[in-house]
Amino acid sequence: MILPIYIYGQPVLRKESVDIPKDYPNLNELISNMFETLTASEGVGLAAPQIGQNIRVAVIDLDVLAEDFPEYKGFRKAYINPHIEEFDDTETESMEEGCLSLPGIHEKVVRPTRIRVRYEDAERNEHDEWVDGYLARVMQHEFDHLDAHMFIDRISPLRRQLIRNKLKALTLGKYRCSYRTKAARR
């Protein structure tokens, strides 16, 4: 089922998410719905707060980038209770980011190119690994949502001031996008 994506201004996007227990009900259905929603919105990542759930679940689908990044062919993964354990700040990269919860807004964000993450996969197997490259960026972006942050929190105060009117428009439900959404006000 395709779920509406919560837009900037929705309180759920600014509330820290909680870990879920092993017996969390209907988790496989939730993950399936999140992937279906992600595909319909043409994104590469989706975190549970973006569909109104304050739980630590995120899905990432990089298969859509396989033409330019063959290493991501078939990459489609769910992350349960993910946490970034460590940032390797020896190398950072500035890259433009967008977000399904911030339609029409794209800004350059500096992030470490390598991180250590701990998470469970969809089968609830535990992982603790170093991740680098584009996947590390997407994980940081999605896992930020689980910690009540958005990429606009990582831009300069000047850039944030310059997009202030666009952010206000989002909170008022004044935006256009091609996927189902749930605005803060309508």
Side-chain angles (χ1 to χ4, degrees):
M1 171 192 320
I2 297 172
L3 305 168
I5 293 179
Y6 284 53
I7 300 300
Y8 178 82
Q10 282 281 358
V12 69
L13 295 172
R14 294 303 193 171
K15 186 176 176 192
E16 193 164 343
S17 297
V18 297
D19 283 351
I20 60 171
K22 293 277 187 200
D23 61 349
Y24 189 82
N26 305 318
L27 180 59
N28 290 336
E29 180 182 355
L30 174 68
I31 290 170
S32 177
N33 290 343
M34 288 178 73
F35 273 121
E36 192 174 344
T37 301
L38 180 61
T39 300
S41 58
E42 299 180 358
V44 295
L46 183 67
Q50 293 179 277
I51 57 162
Q53 306 267 337
N54 274 119
I55 56 174
R56 293 192 78 87
V57 177
V59 297
I60 296 176
D61 183 353
L62 297 183
D63 185 60
V64 296
L65 306 173
E67 192 173 299
D68 294 325
F69 300 97
E71 66 269 30
Y72 295 130
K73 178 81 174 138
F75 189 99
R76 189 173 152 97
K77 210 167 177 181
Y79 297 88
I80 317 306
N81 298 331
H83 293 271
I84 297 175
E85 297 294 315
E86 196 174 339
F87 294 92
D88 178 352
D89 290 327
T90 56
E91 194 174 321
T92 59
E93 182 178 42
S94 176
M95 186 180 285
E96 189 171 274
E97 292 187 21
C99 181
L100 297 173
S101 294
L102 292 157
I105 297 177
H106 297 84
E107 293 289 329
K108 284 193 176 260
V109 178
V110 176
R111 295 191 188 267
T113 59
R114 188 169 182 257
I115 58 172
R116 191 178 124 232
V117 294
R118 182 177 42 87
Y119 65 92
E120 297 169 30
D121 60 29
E123 288 76 43
R124 302 308 295 263
N125 299 310
E126 294 182 19
H127 299 266
D128 187 331
E129 60 194 33
W130 283 94
V131 178
D132 58 13
Y134 191 69
L135 177 57
R137 174 173 290 276
V138 176
M139 283 179 158
Q140 289 173 79
H141 179 107
E142 297 310 326
F143 300 172
D144 267 358
H145 282 296
L146 304 177
D147 294 324
H149 300 294
M150 302 180 86
F151 82 87
I152 55 170
D153 301 335
R154 303 203 180 277
I155 62 176
S156 73
L158 175 60
R159 290 298 313 155
R160 192 162 163 107
Q161 182 66 24
L162 291 171
I163 63 169
R164 188 187 68 207
N165 288 340
K166 288 181 181 180
L167 293 172
K168 180 149 179 72
L170 290 176
T171 64
L172 298 173
K174 296 178 181 178
Y175 60 88
R176 285 188 176 175
C177 59
S178 61
Y179 45 88
R180 278 184 69 199
T181 63
K182 184 165 179 146
R185 295 188 223 164
R186 283 249 172 186

